[in-house]
Amino acid sequence: MTGTSDPAAAHALDAVFAETVRGIGASIGALYLLTPDEEALRLHLLSGAPAEFAAPWARVPVAAPAPVAVAAREGRMVWVGSQEEMAHSFPRTAMVLPYPLALAAAPVTGARRWGTLLLMWPTGRPPYMTARERGHIESRCRRLARLLDEAEAHDGAPVPPALPRVVPAGAGRPSVSEEMALADFVERLPGGSCALDLEGRFTYVSKGAGELFGREPEQLLGTLPWQAVRWLDDPVHEDRYRAAVITREPVSFSACRPPGQWLDIHLYPDTSGISVRVVPRGTAPEDSRSTSTVTPSRAGRLYQLTHLAAALTEVVGVQDVVDVVADQVMPAFGAHGLVLSAAEAGKLHIIGYRGYSPEAIARLDGLPLDTAFTPAGRALSSGVPAFYGAPEEMERLYPEAPVASGKQAWAFLPLIITGRLVGICVLSYDTPHEFEAEERAVMTSLAGLIAQALDRARLYDTKLELAHGLQQALLPRTLPTVPGLRIAARYLPATRGMEIGGDFYDLIRFGDTAVAAVIGDVQGHNVAAAALMGQVRTGVYAHATLGTPPGEVLARTNRLLTDLAPDLFTSCLYAHLDLGEGRVSLASAGHPPPLLRLPDGDTRPLAVPPGPVLGVDPRAVYPVTEIPLTPGMTLAFYTDGLVETPGVDLDDCIARLAQHLARADTRDLDVVIDDLVEKAGPPGQRTDDIALLLLHHEGDHGSSG
């Protein structure tokens, strides 16, 4: 077990893992372990498929929209019963697994969270999971967790390896002799001609198959068909093999052996390998195409490129682009270093890097676009990627560059969109690296995707910075202090879209004995909503400071908004607290009712008859409600983002918020706000922004309620 020195513990884990995959009838199994920072899952054990297949998922961020991540993040089993369900629930995973299959991801938890067990089944099984199957999987996960707990207690926590360990399906059972493997092959294909292992390599080739392939059987053993037989070097053919391994279903296709002999190739897979029957055919199939028209390429590379493209379509900000390139693009090409730079004001500013020292980055940051210090300048001016497989290749033209970076091989990928320079991505290696033509082509294609993602991300970050700056300028920087009142407020943006909205709050002080509390919600989550929020807040403030009664404050602000015709409506609640008279006057423009907590803890929504929302009817009237203001009472003003839950009645949501406030300790209002926001839902999944304002009346002597 990587990170431990106990081979027995590793063997026991392998055996239980393999037994779990066999016992549940799964064709492929994978055990993911959390990285030490618990921000990602790394593939530890794999069974039923070669490690190359799992390369795109060797490391999965815990926050990713993938079954293994959801299982670990939410601590529950995830079941996907069909390809259609996969496309609906996990579209990114479906894009890179376009095969009919069923899948279960179950959390592995013992003394602590360890990770996720992933199981996959081929077509043919029912698209549902029985209670007995679920119980069996959960039991196996507990057993795996116990082994991991014991290994940690004995020799430290296991650390997932850089590459997963492939566990044979028969691990923990007596080994199968060569004669028995041959017998299995004969049973699968009565007149079989050759066999492949799950890695795709020839393990048996009959004399007749050698003649059809044009090679001696001994020359083919241990090789991959699409490498040893040039006319099989077609990504379509390799994808047929991939489909057979993943689905465990028979697959057939036709291939042309030059100059014109067509062969039908039938693949029959099981857990030990693939039996292959090759049959000559007299004529070309109707859907055939000559393999000579296909540019040789690894289907695995295309598959990998598709996965990376899907990941790049999901990025939002610049840091997301850096993380995807570092976490997925670097491992996909075996790179050890990354420098991602953006073109700004005639210079290359490094926006993200991995595998470099801060000193090296400081020397490389801020180079001019036409720099001659590294190959970046030439790559940017020509738009053509540059590849250097060894230091001496670069030293001839750029003698100082290898010393500055400390690397041994480099790929300089200019990031250009329709002739417009975005930046450059540099992948580097700690040892010399030969860049094959196929790898160069994939890197070049990927550079275009990175350029588009980076360009979108920079635009998004610019808009977001502008919007946040606007919103922060419009919200109050500080709240006034009022004798006899303790005050706390919070604004939280939505976690989707522009992360900005029109929710606002304000507190307006009138001398030492009176204050007005305002809270509102402008429709929308964009710059227009934030701008209108500023106009509403200014309008309310202007009318309030004239001593206008609450109902008239809303009425005048409403007429202002209808004159502006913003095409957005606004809800608003205005409350005037007179501490000298011991009275609160409230008026509402379609806003959720405030909560009143009495000194004995009794908490309920206040019955404040609402008028229409602002900006709709210029003749609207807003009735005023009055209640006594007594020492020890607490008022909570909030926007609907704090309470609304899809599919749940709003009154029930408000009642639940009142229950939370009733149980809160009001000695620290900031802690109360933290508690109310936490109970509103997960912090990373807010679909609406939230504004919250709490006022606690202490009375003349500052007593706590």
Side-chain angles (χ1 to χ4, degrees):
M1 195 178 304
T2 302
T4 74
S5 58
D6 188 356
H11 178 75
L13 186 68
D14 288 1
V16 171
F17 170 70
E19 182 184 350
T20 298
V21 178
R22 282 196 312 269
I24 199 64
S27 57
I28 296 175
L31 177 63
Y32 284 83
L33 296 184
L34 285 164
T35 54
D37 58 10
E38 296 195 357
E39 292 184 357
L41 291 157
R42 188 174 288 278
L43 184 56
H44 186 57
L45 300 178
L46 179 67
S47 176
E52 179 191 3
F53 275 26
W57 302 290
R59 184 184 187 279
V60 180
V62 172
V68 291
V70 173
R73 187 169 67 242
E74 300 182 7
R76 63 178 178 88
M77 186 180 299
V78 176
W79 167 253
V80 181
S82 66
Q83 189 176 11
E84 292 76 14
E85 186 178 348
M86 180 77 78
H88 179 266
S89 302
F90 301 99
R92 175 172 155 187
T93 304
M95 183 180 294
V96 291
L97 274 181
Y99 310 108
L101 52 83
L103 174 152
V108 177
T109 304
R112 65 179 179 90
R113 264 195 332 167
W114 283 106
T116 302
L117 174 67
L118 176 68
L119 300 167
M120 297 169 62
W121 291 263
T123 56
R125 67 150 291 145
Y128 57 85
M129 175 174 286
T130 65
R132 185 172 182 178
E133 284 180 305
R134 180 179 291 271
H136 182 56
I137 294 174
E138 291 173 345
S139 173
R140 289 291 176 169
C141 286
R142 288 192 293 270
R143 187 172 177 187
L144 289 168
R146 283 197 299 272
L147 289 173
L148 292 166
D149 289 340
E150 292 168 2
E152 181 178 39
H154 180 265
D155 202 30
V159 179
L163 295 175
R165 188 164 69 250
V166 178
V167 179
R173 297 197 301 185
S175 60
V176 179
S177 66
E178 184 177 346
E179 291 76 16
M180 291 181 64
L182 180 59
D184 288 343
F185 170 73
V186 173
E187 289 179 0
R188 288 194 297 264
L189 276 177
S193 49
C194 60
L196 307 175
D197 61 18
L198 291 178
E199 301 283 344
R201 292 179 172 81
F202 285 111
T203 58
Y204 171 80
V205 182
S206 69
K207 183 177 180 180
E211 292 175 353
L212 290 172
F213 288 139
R215 301 286 299 275
E216 291 295 326
E218 293 78 11
Q219 294 176 321
L220 294 175
L221 291 176
T223 67
L224 297 169
W226 40 89
Q227 291 181 353
V229 183
R230 291 188 61 84
W231 47 271
L232 286 177
D233 190 6
D234 184 329
V236 173
H237 302 336
E238 187 178 348
D239 190 60
R240 298 295 188 270
Y241 148 76
R242 186 183 299 278
V245 172
I246 292 179
T247 66
R248 295 295 198 266
E249 290 288 307
V251 174
S252 300
F253 62 95
S254 298
C256 181
R257 173 187 172 182
Q261 182 183 17
W262 282 91
L263 304 175
D264 285 341
I265 301 177
H266 305 272
L267 308 180
Y268 299 90
D270 75 354
T271 57
S272 62
I274 302 175
S275 296
V276 183
R277 183 168 176 79
V278 185
V279 182
R281 63 179 301 149
T283 59
E286 293 181 2
D287 61 347
S288 68
R289 57 186 175 92
S290 172
T291 56
S292 62
T293 64
V294 180
T295 301
S297 177
R298 291 281 64 75
R301 284 291 192 194
L302 297 177
Y303 168 77
Q304 196 173 64
L305 183 60
T306 302
H307 175 82
L308 296 173
L312 286 168
T313 61
E314 295 181 352
V315 299
V316 177
V318 170
Q319 188 57 48
D320 296 331
V321 177
V322 174
D323 290 341
V324 167
V325 176
D327 296 340
Q328 300 192 40
V329 176
M330 280 179 60
F333 294 100
H336 305 108
L338 161 73
V339 175
L340 189 61
S341 301
E344 297 176 356
K347 293 187 176 182
L348 284 171
H349 294 283
I350 296 176
I351 57 176
Y353 67 93
R354 297 287 193 280
Y356 284 82
S357 67
E359 293 77 17
I361 293 300
R363 190 172 182 186
L364 297 171
D365 192 18
L367 294 174
L369 296 182
D370 59 353
T371 178
F373 181 73
T374 75
R378 177 179 292 183
L380 289 170
S381 62
S382 66
V384 178
F387 301 91
Y388 299 86
E392 52 269 22
E393 294 181 21
M394 187 186 290
E395 286 173 352
R396 287 194 291 267
L397 296 173
Y398 308 94
E400 296 183 67
V403 177
S405 72
K407 301 298 182 182
Q408 299 286 304
W410 304 262
F412 289 82
L413 309 174
L415 307 179
I416 298 173
I417 302 177
T418 60
R420 181 168 55 85
L421 180 62
V422 177
I424 192 165
C425 176
V426 182
L427 297 177
S428 58
Y429 297 79
D430 292 340
T431 57
H433 179 83
E434 182 180 354
F435 294 95
E436 298 179 354
E438 173 194 340
E439 187 176 35
R440 296 184 183 205
V442 175
M443 283 186 174
T444 302
S445 299
L446 193 60
L449 298 175
I450 295 173
Q452 294 179 21
L454 181 59
D455 194 49
R456 291 194 310 270
R458 292 177 68 192
L459 179 61
Y460 174 86
D461 283 352
T462 300
K463 289 182 176 179
L464 185 62
E465 184 178 356
L466 172 64
H468 278 180
L470 173 63
Q471 186 168 51
Q472 293 304 315
L474 295 175
L475 286 172
R477 293 182 178 272
T478 59
L479 294 175
T481 58
V482 180
L485 277 182
R486 281 193 290 111
I487 305 161
R490 188 78 52 85
Y491 172 81
L492 296 170
T495 54
R496 297 182 183 178
M498 287 290 293
E499 297 184 0
I500 181 175
D503 288 15
F504 68 96
Y505 61 84
D506 204 353
L507 198 69
I508 307 167
R509 178 172 171 175
F510 307 107
D512 292 335
T513 61
V515 66
V518 188
I519 196 159
D521 184 356
V522 179
Q523 174 194 17
H525 303 90
N526 49 35
V527 175
L532 181 60
M533 175 265 283
Q535 292 173 320
V536 174
R537 181 171 170 245
T538 301
V540 170
Y541 186 90
H543 296 303
T545 53
L546 296 176
T548 310
E552 190 61 24
V553 169
L554 294 184
R556 293 181 183 183
T557 305
N558 174 57
R559 288 193 291 271
L560 170 66
L561 293 191
T562 53
D563 289 341
L564 294 173
D567 296 327
L568 294 174
F569 61 79
T570 304
S571 71
C572 186
L573 179 69
Y574 182 93
H576 184 273
L577 288 74
D578 190 328
L579 283 72
E581 297 292 333
R583 183 177 69 252
V584 183
S585 303
L586 306 101
S588 172
H591 199 81
L595 299 181
L596 169 65
R597 172 177 156 146
L598 298 175
D600 62 1
D602 180 31
T603 306
R604 63 180 182 274
L606 278 174
V608 181
V613 292
L614 304 178
V616 176
D617 180 6
R619 298 180 299 277
V621 176
Y622 299 93
V624 176
T625 301
E626 289 194 359
I627 63 169
L629 178 62
T630 58
M633 66 183 284
T634 302
L635 285 169
F637 306 90
Y638 55 92
T639 55
D640 55 11
L642 183 67
V643 292
E644 278 191 336
T645 302
V648 181
D649 184 77
L650 181 60
D651 290 339
D652 293 338
C653 295
I654 294 174
R656 186 169 59 220
L657 179 66
Q659 293 173 359
H660 295 323
L661 181 60
R663 292 191 290 266
D665 184 347
T666 57
R667 287 177 294 184
D668 189 332
L669 295 185
D670 285 312
V671 172
V672 175
I673 288 182
D674 290 339
D675 185 53
L676 296 181
V677 170
E678 180 182 353
K679 289 181 169 58
Q685 301 179 21
R686 285 191 302 274
T687 58
D688 196 2
D689 47 341
I690 294 172
L692 180 58
L693 176 63
L694 297 184
L695 305 177
H696 180 83
H697 182 27
E698 293 185 314
D700 294 336
H701 303 290
S703 61
S704 176

